[in-house]
Amino acid sequence: MSTTEQALTQRNKKWYQTVPDPMVLIFMILLATYALTFVVPAGEYERVEQDGRTRVVPESFEYLPDVGVISPFDIFVAVPRGLNEASLYLFIVFIAGGLFHILQRTGALENAIGVAVNRAGVERRNIIITAGTFIYGFFGVAVGFENNIALVPIAVLIASAIGCSSLVGTTMAVGGIGIGFALSPINPYTVGVAQGIAELLTFSGAWLRTLLVVSSLALLSLYICKWVVRMDFEEPDNTKAMTKSLDEYRLTRQNKLTLGVFILGLAAMLVGVFTQGWYINEIAGMFLLMAIVIGIVNGLSANEIVKQMMEGASKVTPGALVIGLAASIQVILSQAQIIDTIVHGLSGLIEGIPGAMSAIMASVVQGAINLFVPSGSGQALVTMPILIPVADLVGMSRQLMITAFQVGDGLTNLIVPTSGGTLAMLALGRVSYVKWLKAILPFMVLVYVLAWLGLVIGHYVGY
């Protein structure tokens, strides 16, 4: 299609068919956030240190009369500040991009996936997608969310091997990890912290969350097989697809050694996460070490390793910069000191709503709060001291309030632009935020209906 034809086609589109660039979309959200600072007054809860954590004191909210107005120039200052505050995510995206570029250059990962899919049979595409979704879901349940960032490109290669788009692989990975983390029965960041505040046994009431996570992953698998595989998706020019027919793939001795280093590195990372409290910096450091060792195993010189790392990082730069721009939203909210005011106002919506509807409303409120407080553990520390007493007042069990919090906080991580982990995964999957929303929003409607049904059942069985 010529440039003139493209321009005419663009002009003939309806306003709702013209989707802005992700950078433009998030900047528009940033402007809306700035406008919100003139409507929502500044306010603050009192906070105290308890068991090494900063918690909110219920009923301590006060408006702050002396907070200055944010100038329009501060919108632009917020962008570099956001880039700085999101640097953890930016750097792990760059390093992981370099690691997988080296892995792709060696051919080890592609050969392994080609051999595995050839043995399973490409005609079993739906089984492979379902198995992959549940495997990624297991990682979300057991390992966490951001800790799995580097596994996304593997799903993209698997999708390519079975003749599907990068969007299918990214949905399988990001959706699986996100659902697993959101509804995990053993999530220490959300369930563990919230149950500690509610004075419940850690990870008690796991049966309902287990049912929710298994049924939601099954629903996601069906959704990918029936809907996402049929979606039109234009692959980025720099996306690495399978380069041979499946029966041509073989694993060489060097490939096996390379994969051994990769698997050993992932195992060491998991040990660090579970026993040493590793987070983004340590995981990124492990990825860097893995990239260097894999380069040495494959005979790359120091200069060649650096070159490959730089090439890999350059391919994920647009997605990484989106993360920094999204973080500027949080900068404006914090500078205006309106986050506590929003939490206070939304929390009040639950009071006075009787029965099972209070659990559904609690999940909606937590989902809205997640846009402003994207950290799961941070949100638990801010909202649970306020909402646990609310649960007692409306006749909702504390256990059900925590599950409602988990549903609202966790599921919205898949769509809110302030979730750095999600944007980092999308960057590695080479799927734009706008394309992601188009693919995942119909599923979000379905999974919320399923989760709300679970909350209603939980209420009536005395969960």
Side-chain angles (χ1 to χ4, degrees):
M1 186 182 290
S2 67
T3 304
T4 304
E5 290 173 331
Q6 288 177 346
L8 287 172
T9 302
Q10 189 72 17
R11 250 197 316 266
N12 291 331
K13 285 184 176 181
K14 303 292 185 182
W15 65 269
Y16 55 81
Q17 294 176 310
T18 305
V19 180
D21 183 90
M23 287 281 196
V24 176
L25 178 64
I26 293 177
F27 190 75
M28 289 166 62
I29 297 173
L30 177 61
L31 293 178
T33 303
Y34 175 71
L36 196 65
T37 65
F38 292 95
V39 178
V40 179
E44 189 176 47
Y45 281 102
E46 182 183 342
R47 287 165 167 79
V48 295
E49 288 287 332
Q50 187 175 349
D51 300 326
R53 296 177 182 270
T54 302
R55 296 183 179 180
V56 166
V57 178
E59 309 299 331
S60 66
F61 178 80
E62 291 183 354
Y63 290 105
L64 302 175
D66 300 325
V67 176
V69 176
I70 298 177
S71 73
F73 181 62
D74 286 330
I75 299 173
F76 301 95
V77 175
V79 174
R81 286 182 62 190
L83 285 164
N84 182 58
E85 294 191 10
S87 58
L88 282 175
Y89 295 109
L90 267 66
F91 290 132
I92 196 171
V93 167
F94 287 137
I95 293 172
L99 166 63
F100 276 92
H101 187 68
I102 290 178
L103 266 175
Q104 288 173 346
R105 186 184 186 279
T106 67
L109 198 55
E110 181 180 343
N111 288 339
I113 291 172
V115 168
V117 172
N118 186 44
R119 289 180 179 174
V122 71
E123 68 280 359
R124 298 176 179 172
R125 182 181 74 180
N126 289 350
I127 295 176
I128 293 171
I129 290 173
T130 301
T133 302
F134 271 87
I135 289 170
Y136 276 100
F138 170 78
F139 277 107
V141 167
V143 180
F145 194 60
E146 291 88 351
N147 301 337
N148 293 303
I149 286 173
L151 301 181
V152 175
I154 299 175
V156 173
L157 273 177
I158 293 172
S160 176
I162 58 177
C164 295
S165 67
S166 298
L167 181 62
V168 170
T170 302
T171 306
M172 183 169 66
V174 181
I177 293 168
I179 291 295
F181 178 79
L183 304 175
S184 169
I186 54 171
N187 188 329
Y189 306 102
T190 55
V191 178
V193 172
Q195 287 183 329
I197 295 171
E199 300 175 333
L200 297 173
L201 290 175
T202 303
F203 303 144
S204 57
W207 67 268
L208 179 59
R209 297 191 298 274
T210 301
L211 287 177
L212 284 176
V213 73
V214 171
S215 56
S216 297
L217 287 171
L219 179 63
L220 177 62
S221 302
L222 180 64
Y223 178 77
I224 295 172
C225 294
K226 296 296 184 182
W227 173 253
V228 181
V229 295
R230 298 177 183 176
M231 289 187 66
D232 292 329
F233 180 76
E234 185 177 347
E235 296 284 356
D237 294 337
N238 55 11
T239 296
K240 176 75 172 179
M242 305 297 281
T243 56
K244 299 181 285 189
S245 60
L246 290 177
D247 56 2
E248 295 180 48
Y249 283 102
R250 301 288 186 275
L251 275 174
T252 65
R253 182 177 177 276
Q254 193 173 48
N255 288 162
K256 293 177 182 177
L257 184 59
T258 299
L259 291 171
V261 172
F262 180 65
I263 293 170
L264 186 63
L266 290 180
M269 180 200 77
L270 292 177
V271 171
V273 168
F274 286 118
T275 65
Q276 304 299 318
W278 283 11
Y279 193 49
I280 299 294
N281 279 334
E282 293 82 3
I283 294 170
M286 178 55 68
F287 290 163
L288 181 59
L289 176 60
M290 289 161 64
I292 294 171
V293 175
I294 288 171
I296 293 171
V297 165
N298 286 273
L300 298 181
S301 67
N303 286 350
E304 288 173 325
I305 292 174
V306 171
K307 180 182 177 183
Q308 295 300 321
M309 289 289 290
M310 291 298 179
E311 287 181 3
S314 68
K315 292 178 180 180
V316 297
T317 297
L321 293 178
V322 168
I323 300 170
L325 181 59
S328 62
I329 297 170
Q330 190 76 10
V331 170
I332 291 292
L333 290 167
S334 299
Q335 188 174 346
Q337 294 183 262
I338 63 173
I339 294 176
D340 282 5
T341 307
I342 293 169
V343 170
H344 176 69
L346 290 173
S347 301
L349 296 177
I350 303 172
E351 296 186 49
I353 300 178
M357 283 303 298
S358 57
I360 294 175
M361 180 56 74
S363 71
V364 173
V365 166
Q366 291 290 355
I369 292 173
N370 195 38
L371 176 64
F372 307 101
V373 188
S375 164
S377 57
Q379 190 174 338
L381 290 167
V382 169
T383 63
M384 284 297 97
I386 303 165
L387 294 183
I388 291 300
V390 171
D392 295 339
L393 288 172
V394 301
M396 187 198 316
S397 73
R398 294 186 173 192
Q399 196 75 268
L400 192 62
M401 174 59 86
I402 289 169
T403 304
F405 151 68
Q406 193 179 4
V407 167
D409 164 68
L411 292 181
T412 48
N413 281 333
L414 290 171
I415 56 173
V416 294
T418 48
S419 174
T422 301
L423 297 181
M425 292 182 194
L426 295 180
L428 289 176
R430 316 281 171 81
V431 173
S432 74
Y433 178 63
V434 173
K435 291 287 187 182
W436 172 249
L437 288 182
K438 183 178 178 181
I440 203 67
L441 281 177
F443 170 74
M444 295 299 295
V445 174
L446 297 174
V447 76
Y448 260 106
V449 171
L450 177 63
W452 287 339
L453 180 61
L455 292 176
V456 171
I457 292 172
H459 174 77
Y460 283 110
V461 300
Y463 174 72

